[in-house]
Amino acid sequence: MSHAMTHAEREAFLTDIHVGVIGVTYAERSLAVPIWYSYEPGGDVVVLTDPDSTKGRALEETRWYSLCAQDENPPYKYVTVEGPVTAIEPSTEDMARAMAHRYLGPEFGDLYLESTAGGPENRAYRMTPARWFTVDYGKDFGG
């Protein structure tokens, strides 16, 4: 039995709220760290980070990343996408608010934004998925 998700299943899963793990290989090193992301079906994966951070420097250098989103509850599922960075743009206040609200809700998202005000200027790194890797072990149980 195949554990691969259908196109619709993988799009829906990646759209759901998961803390992703971004993977970037650069300067003969590999980096895999948790990150918030956004995704709309058929669109780009977007992550926000400081261009002077390790993640940001790696993204600026390689212009390619992978992102894995998973459900840690049985039966396990994950979606991994990888592809080129198709755009790098300044992160706007609206982008930051949308991301904070996505992960923390409006009340705590606004508190998070207040607590990080005046920090580094983030950039948005847009990635167009070129490859998808998916598993849904729930398919073993008819799910």
Side-chain angles (χ1 to χ4, degrees):
M1 158 173 265
S2 173
H3 295 106
M5 293 182 192
T6 66
H7 180 83
E9 290 169 338
R10 74 185 192 193
E11 295 259 321
F13 187 88
L14 196 58
T15 302
D16 285 344
I17 300 171
H18 303 279
V19 173
V21 175
I22 190 170
V24 184
T25 300
Y26 69 106
E28 300 182 23
R29 296 176 59 194
S30 293
L31 174 71
V33 292
I35 195 164
W36 292 351
Y37 72 92
S38 64
Y39 178 74
E40 293 295 326
D44 292 335
V45 175
V46 180
V47 297
L48 308 178
T49 196
D50 175 2
D52 292 325
S53 69
T54 302
K55 286 179 288 205
R57 288 190 310 271
L59 291 167
E60 295 280 338
E61 179 181 318
T62 64
R63 307 285 173 126
W64 184 278
Y65 67 90
S66 61
L67 182 111
C68 180
Q70 66 181 0
D71 183 345
E72 297 178 0
N73 300 302
Y76 306 109
K77 298 177 185 180
Y78 73 82
V79 168
T80 298
V81 292
E82 66 174 306
V85 172
T86 53
I88 301 172
E89 55 200 47
S91 173
T92 66
E93 187 176 318
D94 288 342
M95 290 169 132
R97 181 175 294 104
M99 192 75 75
H101 286 192
R102 170 177 163 82
Y103 282 93
L104 302 173
E107 180 182 355
F108 290 114
D110 287 343
L111 288 172
Y112 169 79
L113 291 172
E114 287 174 26
S115 73
T116 58
E121 294 294 322
N122 287 335
R123 289 187 182 156
Y125 295 85
R126 295 183 177 277
M127 180 259 284
T128 301
R131 291 186 196 90
W132 294 75
F133 306 94
T134 66
V135 167
D136 178 356
Y137 288 111
K139 292 181 181 247
D140 287 340
F141 308 105

